[in-house]
Structures are given as C-alpha cells and as structure tokens.
Amino acid sequence: MSGTVENFTTEFLSINERRILINKLITLVDLAEVAAREAGKSILSFYRKNLAIDIKSDGSPLTMADKKSHQITVDVLSKAGLPIVSEEGDD
C-alpha cells in the first residue's frame, strides 16, 4: 500500500526507508508540540497584565507576549534544521 503527501509518494521506499521517514516526522511533530506548549506557557505569563503595544509597519499590534512566544518557537523549531517563516520574524 502506498501513501502520498502532496506530491511525495512512499510506494518506492523500502520498509526501512519508510520507518526512517516516519521517525523523522514523529520528531518534527514532537518539536512542534514542545514549541506550542512552551510558547503557550510564555503567553499565559502575560495574561491580565498591562502590556505595551507596538504597532508593526502593517498596522497590526505587537506585544511582548508575541515577541517572547515567537522567540521560544524559533528556538525550539530551529533544532529541526529547517527554515522558519513567522509573522513576527524579521526575515
């Protein structure tokens, strides 16, 4: 049985290659979960506090909670070695 994710098909992969791919995907999902949980904890630490609000060039608000959660997310996800695109990022 083959599986397709977007234009990638696994039908030509050996069982061992499929296991390696699945383990890599599990690692990425685990990193994403850690990033989300840690960033969420950070955001909660700002809950019900008066925050300074900066206005970005597009007119949208940016708080210290946004900046801190962004940095945590980038720090955790950078361990995957993949490029990161974020609304709060400078790149």
Side-chain angles (χ1 to χ4, degrees), residues 30-68:
D30 288 346
L31 275 175
E33 181 181 3
V34 168
R37 288 184 186 278
E38 293 301 315
K41 285 180 196 174
S42 173
I43 290 168
L44 287 175
S45 73
F46 292 94
Y47 186 66
R48 294 190 184 223
K49 293 183 179 175
N50 291 327
L51 297 175
I53 299 174
D54 295 328
I55 303 298
K56 297 190 289 188
S57 60
D58 66 0
S60 62
L62 179 67
T63 66
M64 183 55 75
D66 297 321
K67 292 175 187 177
K68 183 71 175 168

Side-chain angles (χ1 to χ4, degrees), residues 2-17:
S2 66
T4 302
V5 177
E6 294 180 13
N7 291 324
F8 180 80
T9 183
T10 60
E11 65 187 89
F12 300 110
L13 297 178
S14 69
I15 296 297
N16 191 48
E17 290 169 323

Side-chain angles (χ1 to χ4, degrees), residues 61-88:
L62 179 67
T63 66
M64 183 55 75
D66 297 321
K67 292 175 187 177
K68 183 71 175 168
S69 66
H70 164 78
Q71 191 57 55
I72 290 168
T73 301
V74 169
D75 289 348
V76 173
L77 294 182
S78 66
K79 295 173 186 172
L82 298 172
I84 298 169
V85 177
S86 168
E87 179 182 1
E88 310 307 348

